[in-house]
Amino acid sequence: MMRIGMSTSCVYPLPVEHGFRLAREAGYDGVEVMVTRDEKTQSTDALLRLSERYEAPIMSIHAPVLLLTHFVWGRDPRVKLAKSAELAASVGAATVVVHPPFRWQAEYAVDFLQIVREIATDAGVQIAVENMFPWKAAGRAMKAYMPGWDPTHFDCDAVTLDFSHAALSGQSSLELAAGFGQRLRHVHLCDGSASNDEGRIFDEHALPGRGTQPVAEVLALLAAQNWDGAIVAEVNTRKARSDDERLAMLVETLQYARVHTTASVKA
């Protein structure tokens, strides 16, 4: 059975410890830590204590790539990625998730793929580049990412598939998974219902099965291939009115993953 983890971003902006606790209560196999301004997400000692306290292995680290984490570990994106890889190695996580660079991160963007490979080799972890989506302003496309938002043709060793980003970009996650081939090493489990061409503005990260992406088909495909990467829930629970509601959403997501990664095996 594939390992199914939960990203601490599922409970953001609540503290990272909240994520560890709910991951354990929901029954996940481990956690992915999104590095934020919460200092515990940046500390090896703090994360290892949380991992031990909640009996939740740290499966992966998500580098601080969001606009809200612009000043975490300084402003140099290469330093941020290197520190993320060092943190992953120190807590026993096999994978670092990173977004493609923004165009305005000029020097980093030009050498991004070489930097990824060098840092991954030095730290002894895999760095999986995540698929993103095109940006639009006033109805016009913007080239926000460099070398681009779709890593299908990137010269990198590992890729992360995010279903919500696939929806927003108007792509089929099933086609993306096929295009990534053996480089697909990590999955962000969620869903989305429409692209920005259809008027969708926000990245939904809906619960799987509540959108239009072929999530079940991708999970079944991976199970049939005896895929040995990691699936990590990255769903938006901000509409939950209580911790019980939030926990129910996380349990539903885990159950969805379990059903669709074991059905083809049983067949």
Side-chain angles (χ1 to χ4, degrees):
M1 185 179 294
M2 281 184 255
R3 290 203 305 162
I4 315 295
M6 189 198 95
S7 171
T8 59
S9 67
C10 292
V11 304
Y12 186 82
L14 295 172
V16 65
E17 183 166 0
H18 214 86
F20 273 85
R21 179 173 63 79
L22 287 183
R24 179 183 179 183
E25 291 179 6
Y28 284 89
D29 297 322
V31 299
E32 173 173 299
V33 175
M34 168 70 83
V35 177
T36 67
R37 288 178 291 186
D38 181 343
E39 292 184 357
K40 288 184 178 180
T41 67
Q42 306 166 33
S43 166
T44 296
D45 290 341
L47 291 178
L48 288 176
R49 284 195 295 270
L50 290 173
S51 177
E52 182 178 5
R53 182 180 306 158
Y54 295 100
E55 300 178 328
I58 300 172
M59 298 166 60
S60 44
I61 297 290
H62 198 310
V65 293
L66 305 178
L67 295 177
L68 291 173
T69 58
H70 183 64
F71 295 106
V72 171
W73 288 333
R75 301 180 64 178
D76 186 335
R78 178 170 185 153
V79 171
K80 293 174 186 282
L81 183 56
K83 284 185 172 292
S84 298
E86 292 168 6
L87 179 64
S90 67
V91 298
T95 303
V96 173
V97 178
V98 67
H99 294 179
F102 292 116
R103 285 186 65 206
W104 50 85
Q105 296 172 317
E107 292 183 17
Y108 175 63
V110 168
D111 296 324
F112 173 64
L113 297 174
Q114 180 181 343
I115 290 170
V116 164
R117 187 163 281 127
E118 289 175 354
I119 291 177
T121 299
D122 290 345
V125 299
Q126 66 179 4
I127 300 178
V129 183
E130 187 170 353
N131 64 303
M132 297 304 291
F133 45 83
W135 284 23
K136 288 196 171 185
R140 301 183 64 179
M142 295 174 55
K143 189 175 181 182
Y145 297 102
M146 183 174 163
W149 50 267
D150 179 357
T152 298
H153 301 294
F154 286 8
D155 180 20
C156 58
D157 299 322
V159 176
T160 295
L161 172 62
D162 184 296
F163 292 98
S164 182
H165 296 172
L168 197 56
S169 65
Q171 295 176 295
S172 163
S173 51
L174 190 58
E175 292 178 3
L176 281 175
F180 294 157
Q182 294 184 350
R183 296 181 306 141
L184 178 58
R185 303 303 306 143
H186 202 73
V187 168
H188 277 164
L189 179 62
C190 50
D191 209 336
S193 61
S195 71
N196 51 22
D197 283 336
E198 299 168 294
R200 178 69 62 190
I201 299 175
F202 300 108
D203 187 11
E204 294 173 274
H205 284 269
L207 271 61
R210 297 196 185 186
T212 57
Q213 282 291 306
V215 183
E217 291 85 346
V218 172
L219 297 181
L221 173 66
L222 296 177
Q225 295 174 341
N226 292 318
W227 185 72
D228 60 355
I231 297 172
V232 172
E234 195 180 63
V235 295
N236 187 342
T237 66
R238 292 189 191 183
K239 291 185 179 179
R241 292 168 294 185
S242 67
D243 244 17
D244 286 343
E245 284 191 10
R246 183 173 289 107
L247 180 60
M249 296 168 76
L250 295 171
V251 168
E252 178 183 330
T253 299
L254 177 59
Q255 290 176 339
Y256 186 99
R258 292 289 187 221
V259 166
H260 293 290
T261 55
T262 58
S264 63
V265 175
K266 292 177 180 177

